[in-house]
DNA sequence: GACAGCATGTAACATGTTACATGATTCA
DNA sequence: TGAATCATGTAACATGTTACATGCTGTC
């Protein structure tokens, strides 16, 4: 139940059309909550029917015509309630970690290239976040900007972690390849299973 | 498309029934790929129909009777292909960050308590991971265990990050409360919007 | 008027969540 | 025999993904 609240937040920051929202979900908000345009249009319809948002009156009701939405008081109240309550964070769900665990059982063919590729991606993302921080956030500003900067710093911290972990993982995998299994393709045994 | 592969990995590590899998998805594998028993049973059905796994022959086909599964060669091949190919990691999706961003617009009522609560949860999770590392992984072992340890170290790194970030966020939010907005409940304005 | 690009959608399907249903086993 | 627990499932719905459909606007 977070996409509607992401949309309400974005619309409070600035009334927008579906496509404008889609673009903002590719940057900004999208850095920690992504959504496709199909999801956004579907959700805009629901929010409108629920009375949380309304289309800005601009006479065109037709398909292919731009349609801007703004948040109504009920929508702001809904968002306030959601933001101030309790909510558990979901456990980690990461396919790369899963694949590492699979590689422990079926062999680590191609693993080092994949780790290197991800390392490159995360380094690029980290650089992008750091550029945004340098460009948009200078000295301590008003509360709203300080909160947005905290969010950005979470992104920076996470990417920093991934870069460090991937470097560690790559070193470990290369050391394993240099060691007892020159081909690096043999299946590992299934005995022991610590970590259960 | 990761749950079937998570199940194949788990079954290769050890043939299991649906309920046993469910339990392992609450520890171990579940630390980076969670699943409920309903998902697991549904997926076991699909994997069986696809010829990737089979029920161990033990005569009982009835409801309420334990049913153990093992991976067939086709299943192992499927997993090997999935683990050795390319695959993008999904962008971050974190509701707490989204709520921080919402708080920048609708006010930060209750935010500090929520941050403290999450800090406690992440500290506990970190301690659990560290205990597992100390208990199950000693000196460098065989390749399979070294890979599993790498996965665990990702969990440790992520929790370490969250603890550090939450401490930073809490300090910042408390400083904001001590500053220009004693009540801490007023709405922030919507002007500026850096980070777009 | 043809085409590119903008803008809004529909449809079908996969995955994840929540609530509930049913049968087997054990033990008081 | 009745309650607790183990074990396997169904149903309904919410959310996310992929592919496609339709109408508008500007420009060559």
């Amino acid at each position: 139940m977070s996409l509607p609240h992401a949309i309400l937040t974005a619309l409070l920051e600035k009334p927008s059309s579906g496509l404008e929202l889609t673009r903002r979900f590719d940057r900004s908000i999208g850095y920690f909550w992504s959504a496709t345009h199909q999801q956004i249009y579907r959700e805009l319809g629901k929010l409108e029917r629920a009375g949380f948002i309304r289309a800005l009156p601009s006479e065109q009701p037709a398909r292919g015509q731009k349609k801007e939405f703004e948040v109504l008081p009920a929508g702001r109240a809904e968002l306030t309630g959601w933001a101030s309550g309790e909510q558990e964070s979901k456990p980690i769900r990461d396919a790369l970690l899963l694949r590492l665990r699979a590689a422990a059982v079926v062999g680590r063919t191609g693993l080092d290239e994949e780790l290197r590729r991800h390392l490159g991606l995360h380094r690029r993302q980290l650089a992008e976040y750091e550029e945004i921080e340098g460009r948009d956030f200078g000295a301590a500003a008003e509360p709203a900007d300080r909160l947005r900067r905290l969010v950005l710093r979470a992104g920076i911290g996470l990417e920093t972690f991934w870069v460090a972990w991937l470097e560690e993982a790559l070193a470990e995998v290369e050391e394993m390849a240099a060691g007892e299994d020159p081909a690096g393709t043999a299946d590992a045994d299934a005995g022991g299973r610590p970590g259960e």
Side-chain angles (χ1 to χ4, degrees), chain A residues 160-177:
Chain A
T160 301
F161 154 73
W162 280 113
V163 166
W165 180 81
L166 282 164
E167 284 168 348
E168 177 188 341
L170 205 47
E172 183 92 1
V173 167
E174 278 166 354
E175 193 192 310
M176 284 165 60

Side-chain angles (χ1 to χ4, degrees), chain A residues 2 23-24 30 32 40 62 74-75 77 84 108 124 128 135-136 162 175 184-185:
Chain A
S2 291
R23 295 218 175 97
R24 294 170 64 197
F32 48 91
I40 288 168
S84 60
R108 47 187 199 280
R124 215 161 307 148
E128 190 179 333
R135 170 162 45 83
D136 289 339
W162 280 113
E175 193 192 310
T185 56

Side-chain angles (χ1 to χ4, degrees), chain A residues 95-187:
Chain A
L96 186 60
L97 296 180
L98 194 54
R99 292 163 76 201
L100 223 64
R101 180 92 176 210
V105 182
V106 298
R108 47 187 199 280
T109 314
L111 190 56
D112 53 338
E113 296 102 290
E114 187 66 352
L115 291 174
R116 258 187 290 273
R117 202 174 62 84
H118 279 256
L119 182 54
L121 294 171
H122 284 288
R123 279 187 176 139
R124 215 161 307 148
Q125 188 65 59
L126 177 57
E128 190 179 333
Y129 286 157
E130 283 176 335
E131 198 227 306
I132 292 173
E133 189 181 32
R135 170 162 45 83
D136 289 339
F137 298 98
E142 44 178 331
D145 283 347
R146 290 173 75 178
L147 287 175
R148 293 194 191 101
R149 178 178 195 167
L150 265 176
V151 173
L152 180 59
R153 291 196 55 77
I156 290 175
L158 281 168
E159 294 302 333
T160 301
F161 154 73
W162 280 113
V163 166
W165 180 81
L166 282 164
E167 284 168 348
E168 177 188 341
L170 205 47
E172 183 92 1
V173 167
E174 278 166 354
E175 193 192 310
M176 284 165 60
E180 78 250 76
D181 183 358
T185 56
D187 290 3

